[in-house]
Amino acid sequence: MEFYIISVLSNKGGVSKTTSAINIAAYLANKGKRVLLIDFDAQANSTLSTIGTGNGHVGEWLVGEKSFSDVVVPYIDNLDVLPAARALDTYAKAIGSENDYQFLLKERIEEEKLDDSYNYIIIDNAPSLTTLAYTTFIAATHILLPSAPEEFAIAGIANVLQTVANVKKRYNPTLKVAGIFFSKYHPSYRSKIDNDMVFATKDAYGDLVMETTIRTNVSIKEALAFKKPVFEYAPDSQGSKDYEALVKELIERL
Ligand SMILES: Nc1ncnc2c1ncn2[C@@H]1O[C@H](COP(=O)(O)OP(=O)(O)O)[C@@H](O)[C@H]1O
Ligand SMILES: [Mg+2]
């Protein structure tokens, strides 16, 4: 059975990690894939914008305090959420102080045989390369990098790619970068400086930069506020079309 673990990462906030993780997961679920969305950010934005709040959080499952079935919450058909909560920060600290903590997520996914239940695990991360984010580099098959046409966001790409290179060498030789994509951006409506930054990124990272960009679209934001994927909230919107194109391109690149 096809089984991919995609970690949506950036060490910058506000670049659409959460928005993208939710909508990518929802699109795949709509296509009949079995999908698990893991919220690895104690701010719990993915959780709040899907199921609201969980009955427990992913940290409790990681350390073995609660079983997977106690913590997982169904969201829409084919899509379950492993929620976050404020307390996840405290759990992450404790996890990070253990020997070999880097392998924890990978081991838990294997023990739980999640490859029997899901085709895709999509992980939404906090905006920094934290303890939990580091465990995703080792568990993941692919890293996906949302970015914004801003200097600091683009500088962050190098940082993540360096970590990917290190992890590949030591722990996870088959880890791949699925791609870098720009969000809240479209070549036709943004300033020259934004376009210049996107072109510079293409120069630096070549084929790693995806063709699809996600335009700024109010339906994307509203959908989250209504706890709905954009495909359900506004199926004919630009946002819906852009995310469909993004997932199609993503699948081609896996
Ligand atoms: N394409 C878009 N169009 C309009 N608003 C967007 C778009 N993508 C994200 N947003 C909004 O931008 C903010 C940051 O997005 P979010 O996904 O939370 O970023 P991150 O998880 O990287 O911090 C949110 O308020 C979200 O609703
Ligand atoms: Mg987020």
Side-chain angles (χ1 to χ4, degrees):
M1 197 165 87
E2 67 182 326
F3 183 55
Y4 299 102
I5 303 174
I6 302 171
S7 183
V8 182
L9 268 166
S10 159
N11 48 9
K12 177 121 181 13
V15 294
S16 307
K17 286 182 297 297
T18 297
T19 307
S20 300
I22 292 171
N23 285 306
I24 291 167
Y27 184 87
L28 292 164
N30 288 344
K31 290 289 161 202
K33 305 296 182 187
R34 290 279 309 147
V35 187
L36 175 69
L37 174 65
I38 300 182
D39 190 350
F40 249 5
D41 182 352
Q43 290 186 56
N45 291 344
S46 272
T47 304
L48 292 166
S49 301
T50 54
I51 56 167
T53 48
N55 182 20
H57 60 83
V58 59
E60 294 172 305
W61 170 65
L62 282 176
V63 303
E65 275 176 16
K66 284 191 179 167
S67 69
F68 183 77
S69 57
D70 282 343
V71 180
V72 74
V73 181
Y75 168 45
I76 55 173
D77 278 355
N78 292 324
L79 174 50
D80 296 338
V81 177
L82 209 46
R86 253 288 138 226
L88 185 57
D89 267 344
T90 314
Y91 280 69
K93 277 209 188 82
I95 288 166
S97 66
E98 297 286 320
N99 276 341
D100 294 336
Y101 80 85
Q102 301 94 318
F103 299 97
L104 185 60
L105 177 63
K106 183 183 170 65
E107 286 167 5
R108 300 295 284 129
I109 288 172
E110 284 172 3
E111 282 164 19
E112 209 69 48
K113 297 193 170 54
L114 294 185
D115 58 335
D116 287 345
S117 323
Y118 298 103
N119 303 117
Y120 289 86
I121 297 178
I122 310 289
I123 307 167
D124 179 27
N125 287 283
S128 57
L129 300 187
T130 57
T131 298
L132 293 180
Y134 203 69
T135 69
T136 76
F137 282 98
I138 290 170
T141 57
H142 294 83
I143 303 289
L144 179 66
L145 283 124
S147 195
E150 294 158 17
E151 199 127 9
F152 292 121
I154 291 170
I157 293 172
N159 214 319
V160 175
L161 293 181
Q162 185 58 52
T163 306
V164 170
N166 292 342
V167 169
K168 269 175 80 116
K169 229 184 290 168
R170 292 190 202 144
Y171 306 114
N172 186 2
T174 57
L175 180 65
K176 292 197 187 80
V177 177
I180 301 162
F181 68 93
F182 286 92
S183 182
K184 294 189 260 184
Y185 167 80
H186 192 263
S188 67
Y189 66 49
R190 294 295 289 260
S191 64
K192 180 172 182 309
I193 174 105
D194 288 349
N195 287 329
D196 286 350
M197 271 190 226
V198 171
F199 293 140
T201 310
K202 285 187 175 158
D203 272 348
Y205 300 116
D207 289 345
L208 282 184
V209 180
M210 296 171 73
E211 285 297 319
T212 310
T213 62
I214 307 291
R215 290 168 279 190
T216 299
N217 180 242
V218 70
S219 297
I220 290 177
K221 211 185 176 86
E222 287 173 357
L224 292 179
F226 287 103
K227 299 186 169 55
K228 288 192 171 141
V230 70
F231 311 106
E232 191 184 324
Y233 175 75
D236 298 324
S237 64
Q238 273 187 0
S240 176
K241 290 185 182 115
D242 286 351
Y243 270 112
E244 175 173 12
L246 185 79
V247 182
K248 285 183 173 161
E249 187 182 356
L250 172 65
I251 291 168
E252 290 291 309
R253 298 170 70 100
L254 294 179

